[in-house]
């Protein structure tokens, strides 16, 4: 069941591993998209704006959860590449303990603070109550977010990119059914959409756990391997927390930008909400490339096959350029029709909403190549073990979005807001591309005797920006 990414053609491996990952992310975005479509169609633009106004807050917290889980999975991939199952199982056990702790703390903290955050963000009064109930329920479901993302990350680290797809497919179908059930039958409004998301994700996580227990005997641990180990936890935090913070720091810029959009009125909030949801779906290929490169680089660094790092990055970049061109062409032709997926034809401001949503989609689609590089290069660096670089890239993204929000949105309005994400991607690429070359060069200098066979990488005392990869 385990897939070895350290031998064979990098392009072929990336495609075979990445396509199932892409399908899984499409399912994930599909049910997120269905939330937005169902809310917009059945409850109207006001409810759509309420849900959309929480997207940056959700990204701040849920993105941190996902980043931490992805970071916890990297040492697992490195130990798979190094053929070290004992330490691999120890990482899995301690990642579970840390995830439970993070989930508890974040659930309590966000539940207490989410109303204050919405107030600081200047959420319009006519959508405030809907936004609060929606994001509060999502935050109460943080344990299910950790459950699924940690287990799916571990499964992918073992080289199995297909199994998470099956569970997300189940979750997607269940989420759509529950959306209709809660909104149409039980009349729960936006709260029903949030409950459907949490329940469906929880079921997906439980399914992952059952699958791992049955299909991967290599994960069955001895008592010693299950023991809480401070050194292992420290290393997991070195890998996971920077990745989580990268998402959160990026989200701070999105929150500032969302506050600026909120000041334009609920019509513009609804347009950004609809455009963002569609663009998240369009970006799934780049997200899949990032997840693939994290596992690919993790396994190859663990096996000390450093020559394959650059080969894989170049192959994946070529795929990113091809996908970017296809996305831009399709949106030039069909952005207006895609915008109508989220809008009620009876909306009094339908033409304005349609035009604004289409504008957002087209501007962001024109910058897909920088976005693809952000995902490919960032996750490659993280797979190599240099997770601190994720924070620095996130800071640059945040600075770009904050700059647009403060200096361009007030005088230029909605059009400037549409260029905020492209500015963030370009800023991150300016740092990540040379940083990636530096990481590969340092790995080569540290381990020059590369013979293609799995080796044990010495563990350093600590990791800091630009030093050797974290202990594996």
């Amino acid at each position: 069941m385990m897939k070895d990414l350290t031998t064979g053609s990098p392009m072929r491996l990336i495609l075979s591993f990445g396509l199932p990952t892409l399908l899984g992310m499409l399912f994930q975005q599909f049910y997120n998209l269905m939330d937005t479509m169902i809310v917009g169609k059945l409850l109207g633009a006001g409810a759509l704006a309420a849900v959309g106004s929480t997207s940056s807050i959700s990204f701040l917290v849920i993105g941190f959860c996902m980043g931490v889980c992805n970071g916890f999975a990297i040492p697992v991939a490195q130990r798979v590449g190094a053929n070290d199952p004992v330490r691999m199982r120890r990482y899995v056990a301690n990642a579970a303990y840390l995830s439970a702790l993070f989930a508890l703390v974040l659930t309590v903290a966000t539940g207490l603070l989410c109303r204050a955050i919405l107030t600081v963000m200047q959420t319009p009064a006519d959508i405030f109550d809907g936004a609060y109930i929606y994001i509060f329920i999502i935050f109460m479901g943080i344990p299910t977010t950790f459950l699924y993302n940690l287990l799916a990350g571990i499964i992918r680290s073992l080289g199995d990119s297909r199994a998470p797809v099956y569970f997300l497919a189940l979750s997607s179908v269940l989420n759509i059914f529950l959306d209709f059930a809660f909104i149409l039958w039980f009349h729960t409004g936006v709260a029903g959409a949030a409950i459907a998301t949490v329940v469906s994700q929880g079921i997906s996580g439980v399914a992952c756990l059952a699958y791992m227990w049955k299909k991967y005997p290599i994960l069955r641990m001895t008592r010693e391997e299950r023991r809480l180990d401070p050194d292992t936890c420290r290393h997991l935090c070195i890998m996971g927390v920077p990745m989580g913070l990268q998402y959160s720091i990026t989200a701070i810029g999105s929150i500032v930008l969302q506050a600026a959009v909120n000041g334009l009125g609920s019509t513009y909030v609804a347009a950004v909400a609809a455009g963002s949801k569609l663009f998240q779906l369009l970006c799934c290929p780049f997200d899949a490339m990032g997840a693939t490169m994290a596992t690919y680089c993790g396994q190859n660094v663990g096996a000390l096959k450093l020559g394959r790092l650059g080969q894989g990055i170049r192959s994946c970049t070529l795929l990113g350029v091809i996908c970017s061109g296809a996305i831009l062409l399709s949106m030039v032709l069909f952005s207006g029709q895609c915008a109508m997926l989220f809008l009620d034809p009876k909306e009094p401001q339908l033409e304005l909403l349609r035009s604004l949503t289409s504008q957002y989609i087209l501007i962001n689609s024109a910058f897909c190549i920088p976005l693809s590089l952000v995902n490919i290069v960032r996750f490659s660096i993280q797979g190599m073990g240099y997770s601190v670089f994720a924070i620095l890239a996130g800071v640059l993204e945040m600075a770009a979005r904050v700059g647009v929000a403060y200096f361009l949105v007030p005088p230029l309005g909605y059009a400037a807001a549409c260029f905020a994400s492209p500015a963030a991607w370009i800023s991150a690429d300016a740092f990540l591309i040379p940083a990636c070359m530096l990481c590969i060069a340092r790995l080569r200098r540290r381990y020059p005797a590369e013979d293609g066979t799995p080796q044990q990488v010495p563990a350093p005392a600590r990791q800091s920006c630009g030093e050797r990869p974290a202990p594996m």
Side-chain angles (χ1 to χ4, degrees), residues 103-303:
L104 175 62
V105 172
L106 286 172
T107 301
V108 173
T110 54
L112 294 174
L113 295 174
C114 63
R115 183 177 291 274
I117 295 172
L118 287 172
T119 301
V120 171
M121 288 181 62
Q122 304 175 18
T123 304
D126 57 333
I127 62 174
F128 189 96
D129 289 341
Y132 172 75
I133 190 64
Y134 181 84
I135 196 60
F136 180 81
I137 294 171
I138 293 295
F139 284 162
M140 292 302 100
I142 284 175
T144 67
T145 301
F146 268 99
L147 177 65
Y148 170 74
N149 283 281
L150 177 65
L151 299 182
I154 291 170
I155 291 173
R156 283 193 294 267
S157 293
L158 297 174
D160 182 357
S161 60
R162 296 185 179 185
V165 177
Y166 306 143
F167 306 126
L168 276 174
L170 169 66
S171 181
S172 299
V173 173
L174 180 61
N175 190 88
I176 294 167
F177 171 77
L178 292 176
D179 272 338
F180 282 108
F182 285 120
I183 293 175
L184 286 180
W185 302 343
F186 301 111
H187 307 289
T188 55
V190 295
I195 294 170
T197 299
V198 172
V199 171
S200 60
Q201 185 166 243
I203 291 175
S204 181
V206 172
C208 277
L209 183 61
Y211 174 83
M212 288 171 62
W213 178 257
K214 181 178 180 180
K215 296 294 185 180
Y216 287 106
I218 194 173
L219 292 175
R220 296 178 186 175
M221 307 166 191
T222 65
R223 177 174 296 182
E224 174 62 23
E225 291 166 348
R226 289 195 301 269
R227 181 175 58 85
L228 181 65
D229 180 49
D231 287 338
T232 300
C233 288
R234 180 185 63 83
H235 176 50
L236 286 166
C237 288
I238 287 173
M239 298 299 294
V241 172
M243 290 184 69
L245 288 176
Q246 174 261 308
Y247 283 96
S248 295
I249 291 170
T250 301
I252 292 172
S254 298
I255 289 174
V256 174
L257 179 64
Q258 183 68 58
V261 174
N262 289 347
L264 300 175
S266 58
T267 299
Y268 294 91
V269 175
V272 171
S276 297
K277 285 294 184 182
L278 177 61
F279 196 70
Q280 286 173 12
L281 181 65
L282 296 175
C283 290
C284 281
F286 310 131
D287 294 332
M289 291 175 193
T292 298
M293 291 309 295
T295 301
Y296 174 89
C297 291
Q299 286 197 12
N300 280 282
V301 167

Side-chain angles (χ1 to χ4, degrees), residues 320-386:
V321 171
I322 294 171
C323 287
S324 298
I327 289 170
L328 177 58
L329 177 61
S330 63
M331 288 302 101
V332 167
L333 297 175
F334 303 113
S335 62
Q337 294 88 325
C338 290
M340 288 303 300
L341 293 172
F342 307 93
L343 304 175
D344 186 347
K346 298 178 183 179
E347 284 289 340
Q349 294 183 300
L350 178 63
E351 283 306 314
L352 176 60
L353 278 169
R354 182 175 181 270
S355 174
L356 292 172
T357 304
S358 178
Q359 179 183 357
Y360 182 92
I361 296 168
L362 278 173
I363 290 174
N364 281 267
S365 297
F367 291 88
C368 279
I369 290 178
L371 173 60
S372 69
L373 288 172
V374 168
N375 282 272
I376 293 167
V377 179
R378 172 188 287 149
F379 280 91
S380 295
I381 290 172
Q382 291 167 348
M384 295 176 207
Y386 292 88

